[in-house]
Every structure is written in structure tokens, then in C-alpha cells.
Amino acid sequence: MLNVLFGTGMAGALAVWLKTRPKMREVNLTADEKLREDLLQRVAKLEADAAANALIRENERARHEAELAIMRHRVNNSDQCLDALLLLLKTSPEKVDQAVHHIEAMRARQKEEIALEKGAQAGAKVATTAAVVVPT
């Protein structure tokens, strides 16, 4: 009797397992597909973020290169003023007052140009910031 009961229980368990096996397989396949889709979406988002970050880096690099060029230009202007003053002092010490006025006018012009360059830099920075899509 115990053997019959055990055999019936095993046969019932085997029948349930055989009946649910296709459904379990379908659940596993669906889970795999969902995981694959989620991973593909994440990869696509990461690629989009990487492209946006590359654009941001390129804009920053261009802005820094422009700033360095402006700084080199300013240093060259200052050097030219100093060289001009030294040359005038060496060649015509009696015209120092006139040279000082001339160099002061040159420096005032350079300061105006620097202010314009700073304004252009600020405008370019605003324009690039507005054009760049920030990654989310």
C-alpha cells in the first residue's frame, strides 16, 4: 500500500512537472529577452551620453585653445610695449614724456581690445553651452 501511494505521488509529481515544463521554459525565454532588451537600451543610452560628453570636451578644448591664443597675444603686446619704451629711452631720452603718452595710448587700445575679446569669449561660451545637449 505504501508503495502504491508512493508510486501515485511520484506519478502525480511527474505529471505536474511535465505539464509545467513548457510554461517554465517560456518564462525563462521571456526573462532572457527582457534582460537583452534592457541591456541594449542601457548601451544605447551610454553611447548617446558618451557622444554628448565628447562634444562637450571638444567644445571645451576649442575654447581653451582660443583662450591660450588670446593670452599669448596679450603677452606679445605687453612685450612690444616694453620693448618700444626701452628703445625710445635708449635712442631719445629727451622724448620720454612723449613716449610715455604714446605707450599709454597703446596700452589703452590694448585694454579695449582685451575687453572685446573677453566679451567674445563669454558670448561663445554661452552659445556653445546652449547648443550642447547635456547627458541625462
Side-chain angles (χ1 to χ4, degrees), residues 2-3 12 66 68 74 76-77 79 93 98 100 106 118 134:
L2 192 56
N3 285 339
L68 285 173
R74 288 180 195 162
N76 288 339
N77 283 344
D79 282 348
Q98 185 181 6
V100 168
M106 185 188 308
K118 284 182 180 179
V134 178

Side-chain angles (χ1 to χ4, degrees), residues 14-28:
L14 181 62
V16 168
W17 181 75
L18 286 174
K19 200 173 197 180
T20 59
R21 186 169 179 222
K23 191 66 173 168
M24 293 302 290
R25 187 177 236 182
E26 182 182 326
V27 167
N28 285 339

